[in-house]
Amino acid sequence: MAIFERIEDAACGRRRLSLKSPATLESLGEIECASKEDVEAAVAKARAAQPAWAALSVEERINYMLKLRAVILNNAERLVDVVVKETGKPLQDAMIFEVYAACDFITYFCRQAKKVLTEERRSIHGVLRFTKKLRLVYKPLGVVGVISPWNGPFILTANPCVQAMLAGNTVVAKGSEVTPRCAAILEEFCHEAGLPEGVCQVLMGDGETGGALTQSKVDKISFTGSVDTGKRVAAACIEQLIPYTLELGGKDAMIVCADANLEEAVHAALWGSCVNTGHFCCGTERVYVDEAIYDTFCDKVVALAKAVRQGQQHGKDEDLGAVFWDRQLAIIEAHVDDAKARGAKILAGGERNKDLPGLYYPPTVLTDVQEDWDVMQKETFGPIIPIVKFKSIDEAIEKANGTSYGLHGSVWTKDETKGIAIAKRLDTGSVAINDIGMMYGVPTAPFGGVKESGFGSIHGESSLRGYCHVQPIISGKYGGSQTGYPYSEKSYKRMEQFMGFMYKNPIGRLFFG
Ligand code: NAD
């Protein structure tokens, strides 16, 4: 049962998709995919709007973003409704990960903007400090293309758009074809917040629309999605020599030491794997547990997994919602079925919840799995909890590092020093001690993956500046340059003597190092 299907093209020639709710399989109507010409027209409109937007002061742009935050808050229920309809996620997942996260990130980046986007003076090092002064100007790049996935369809569109706009860029975004309205609503909210025409446009469309955006001569692409598409996007950006960030998939490991708080770790293993139906880039995909507590840990996770409530329509009064997309359901089923066929033990779940009409998969606890199986190597992106016993921390770290991904991970121990030492040995973009999947929610910290999990980072100070060209402007303190032709032996010797003074003479070294 496909969540979106291509139907005959519209009279104007645009591709059309019919959509269904993954929770109920009811029709959600149809969308038209933006064509290459639509994308080009949107980029042209964004380009025309950009100079006036960039000419506003940082404070004025901050005020617009705070108005946007107010609109999101006023429309929280409506936004949750759109998200729950298209994804089948529980109301609470929608409220926390889409609405709250958007408000929190806008708040953070508005505070940051003033600090990191305002032109600044920098002192110059060495001898030039006596004659020159330097200022750094944070100039917007121009038009930024944002391409987002379906698992956090509003927040993963809104977050890069807000950052790019604060920095003075205009944006053309494209949400996933699985959840197009969750992304498109951002443009509506921007209108309601009074943003000028053309500053934020959100197109609906499929991979072809995304491909057209990467070819549309935008000035940067912020991409969130899978590794395979990320590589295609990177190739298109390299071809055009434009900057890009790639926030890609993960295979996060959780390492549970013998001295961990067992109850907390057990809850985290379940929630970390099942939250947002496991469609969470920082979701827990592998759990490594010290042999001393392994059996108790497994028993407790299984008991909790069996108590999870699933299957109310449209995500109400339930813990674990629908799988958002039939393609993802097929991947989840393939990974679990492969593990079963190779002899894994299924302690809970293990097959699709056939009692429900929608796309539901229960929390599934697996043991006796091998590291080279798909369920331990590839991103499953579902409510699947493979638990593996380890004898030593070295073994746990080696296994945790043993995939092509490197997004996030967690370490569980009551000894923080030990936890940090283990964290530093993990080949991941970030790590949490005694918590799971935290890092995307902490905008103060740069967030991004290593290895195949991505390139560049979103969040932190560098994030807003990533939407700028930093233009250094140097000028003279006392007029213009006195140096230049004619060269002579005398001027050469003078330079030699001066360097001797700078780096050999004790007084010179006081000034010049
Ligand atoms: P996807 O790569 O299939 O699609 C992502 C977006 O790219 C969609 O909008 C899609 O239409 C578009 N697209 C498809 N082909 C394209 C092309 N050739 N050129 C340009 N755009 C194209 O990914 P998905 O299945 O939508 O998302 C799930 C993935 O996203 C998972 O791997 C997940 O881990 C990852 N993700 C990462 C983060 C992070 O911050 N690291 C956050 C959320 C999701």
Side-chain angles (χ1 to χ4, degrees):
M1 175 56 69
I3 287 306
F4 72 83
E5 270 174 313
R6 185 159 174 187
I7 45 181
E8 84 283 1
D9 290 351
C12 55
R14 291 190 188 91
R15 297 178 302 287
R16 275 197 315 154
L17 305 176
S18 69
L19 300 173
K20 287 197 178 71
S21 152
T24 62
L25 303 185
E26 286 162 5
S27 167
L28 295 179
E30 296 168 7
I31 62 155
E32 268 181 22
C33 296
S35 63
K36 183 171 174 286
E37 293 70 29
D38 294 331
V39 171
E40 285 167 359
V43 172
K45 187 171 168 186
R47 193 153 310 280
Q50 198 268 333
W53 179 248
L56 297 178
S57 66
V58 176
E59 286 82 358
E60 285 169 310
R61 293 199 297 266
I62 289 172
N63 285 338
Y64 274 117
M65 292 305 125
L66 292 177
K67 280 185 202 152
L68 174 62
R69 183 183 67 181
V71 172
I72 293 172
L73 268 179
N74 291 341
N75 286 280
E77 243 178 74
R78 192 173 141 230
L79 175 55
V80 166
D81 186 56
V82 172
V83 168
V84 170
K85 275 205 178 97
E86 281 192 343
T87 64
K89 65 168 95 174
L91 298 180
Q92 195 153 328
D93 281 351
M95 188 56 101
I96 295 173
F97 293 105
E98 307 283 357
V99 184
Y100 166 73
C103 295
D104 186 52
F105 293 172
I106 290 174
T107 309
Y108 172 78
F109 284 112
C110 283
R111 287 208 184 127
Q112 275 291 307
K114 195 143 176 32
K115 205 168 100 197
V116 305
L117 297 177
T118 307
E119 182 177 317
E120 59 178 311
R121 289 284 289 270
R122 285 274 172 93
S123 57
I124 300 180
H125 138 102
V127 69
L128 286 179
R129 90 182 90 151
F130 298 116
T131 55
K132 298 286 179 194
K133 50 191 181 178
L134 176 68
R135 67 184 64 230
L136 300 182
V137 179
Y138 297 97
K139 290 176 71 169
L141 297 170
V143 179
V144 173
V146 171
I147 301 175
S148 56
W150 46 268
N151 64 314
F154 179 73
I155 187 62
L156 297 171
T157 311
N159 189 21
C161 287
V162 164
Q163 293 184 46
M165 289 190 284
L166 273 170
N169 304 281
T170 51
V171 293
V172 177
K174 190 205 81 74
S176 167
E177 53 274 51
V178 183
T179 50
R181 295 183 183 106
C182 298
I185 201 170
L186 175 67
E187 183 174 329
E188 246 182 77
F189 289 168
C190 286
H191 281 149
E192 206 177 320
L195 267 74
E197 269 296 303
V199 171
C200 177
Q201 299 169 79
V202 186
L203 305 175
M204 294 196 200
D206 51 14
E208 267 185 74
T209 310
L213 185 53
T214 64
Q215 301 287 346
S216 65
K217 306 219 173 345
V218 289
D219 300 291
K220 174 173 178 166
I221 292 279
S222 169
F223 174 80
T224 311
S226 65
V227 174
D228 285 350
T229 313
K231 287 178 181 171
R232 281 196 284 276
V233 169
C237 292
I238 287 168
E239 182 67 33
Q240 296 168 80
L241 281 182
I242 58 167
Y244 56 92
T245 52
L246 303 176
E247 299 292 335
L248 309 178
K251 191 74 187 167
D252 291 8
M254 172 176 181
I255 296 180
V256 187
C257 301
D259 66 346
N261 178 322
L262 193 60
E263 296 306 321
E264 282 182 9
V266 163
H267 274 92
L270 181 82
W271 192 73
S273 310
C274 294
V275 64
N276 212 41
T277 323
H279 309 324
F280 182 27
C281 55
C282 301
T284 304
E285 296 244 338
R286 299 170 291 151
V287 184
Y288 297 102
V289 182
D290 190 294
E291 60 181 354
I293 55 165
Y294 178 80
D295 290 338
T296 320
F297 186 92
C298 290
D299 290 348
K300 284 178 180 284
V301 172
V302 168
L304 277 188
K306 288 184 172 165
V308 163
R309 297 167 309 156
Q310 182 171 48
Q312 303 300 310
Q313 285 200 343
H314 290 308
K316 289 184 183 123
D317 294 324
E318 66 176 355
D319 305 312
L320 178 58
V323 172
F324 302 0
W325 188 10
D326 48 292
R327 188 189 77 172
Q328 203 60 45
L329 182 61
I331 293 171
I332 295 166
E333 287 182 322
H335 288 187
V336 175
D337 291 350
D338 175 65
K340 270 199 273 190
R342 290 165 179 251
K345 269 196 202 141
I346 309 290
L347 304 184
E351 59 179 355
R352 186 179 165 174
N353 187 340
K354 295 189 182 109
D355 297 337
L356 297 167
L359 310 181
Y360 283 90
Y361 206 95
T364 292
V365 183
L366 298 168
T367 59
D368 295 17
V369 293
Q370 300 294 322
E371 291 300 313
D372 58 347
W373 297 358
D374 283 356
V375 77
M376 298 302 281
Q377 287 297 319
K378 297 184 177 167
E379 188 181 46
T380 309
F381 223 47
I384 311 303
I385 316 161
I387 313 180
V388 173
K389 191 187 293 185
F390 69 79
K391 284 186 182 1
S392 71
I393 285 295
D394 285 349
E395 179 196 347
I397 293 170
E398 190 185 331
K399 286 180 170 166
N401 287 339
T403 74
S404 59
Y405 294 99
L407 191 58
H408 188 59
S410 67
V411 182
W412 295 76
T413 168
K414 287 188 189 129
D415 178 347
E416 197 184 357
T417 308
K418 177 168 104 183
I420 290 171
I422 297 170
K424 287 179 177 173
R425 293 175 62 194
L426 292 179
D427 298 335
T428 54
S430 55
V431 187
I433 312 277
N434 297 328
D435 215 324
I436 58 95
M438 280 302 292
M439 211 46 89
Y440 193 86
V442 181
T444 322
F447 178 85
V450 296
K451 302 200 280 187
E452 288 209 320
S453 287
F455 181 77
S457 70
I458 186 156
H459 292 173
E461 272 191 17
S462 56
S463 188
L464 278 178
R465 287 192 177 155
Y467 291 100
C468 301
H469 166 66
V470 188
Q471 184 186 44
I473 299 180
I474 196 160
S475 55
K477 281 186 177 171
Y478 318 102
S481 170
Q482 308 297 312
T483 54
Y485 300 137
Y487 292 161
S488 66
E489 198 176 339
K490 203 168 144 199
S491 63
Y492 180 82
K493 282 270 176 239
R494 224 178 17 236
M495 188 68 210
E496 227 175 20
Q497 281 164 358
F498 189 56
M499 286 196 300
F501 171 72
M502 285 171 78
Y503 304 122
K504 292 182 186 162
N505 182 293
I507 297 172
R509 280 186 16 208
L510 272 180
F511 285 100
F512 301 109

